[in-house]
Amino acid sequence: MIEKTTYELGDIIKMKKPHPCGSQEWEILRVGADFRLKCLGCGHQVMVARKMVEKNTRGLRKP
């Protein structure tokens, strides 16, 4: 059985590939069809499609 991960505001996710600053950890600022993520290394914010986040997430930490 496949378990769906629930993403909530403030969660920290570890992505498959690192950001150019070297950090792999991102904070979730917005959840929906698109996610707004903030890099914990440099503070850069990006909008990413939910499908891409679910595909590339390697870890999830609750605050």
Side-chain angles (χ1 to χ4, degrees), residues 5-16 23-31 35-41 43 53 56-63:
T5 305
T6 57
Y7 297 98
E8 297 175 358
L9 296 180
D11 288 353
I12 307 297
I13 58 174
K14 185 173 183 180
M15 298 296 272
K16 183 175 166 181
S23 175
Q24 288 183 305
E25 293 191 327
W26 297 79
E27 179 182 358
I28 299 175
L29 301 178
R30 179 181 180 270
V31 179
F35 281 49
R36 178 173 293 279
L37 304 175
K38 182 173 89 171
C39 177
L40 294 181
V53 171
N56 293 314
T57 299
R58 292 294 174 253
L60 177 68
R61 254 186 14 221
K62 299 291 181 182

Side-chain angles (χ1 to χ4, degrees), residues 44-56:
H44 185 75
Q45 293 185 16
V46 295
M47 291 289 286
V48 183
R50 174 181 281 271
K51 190 172 184 178
M52 292 300 292
V53 171
E54 290 174 347
K55 176 182 170 193
N56 293 314

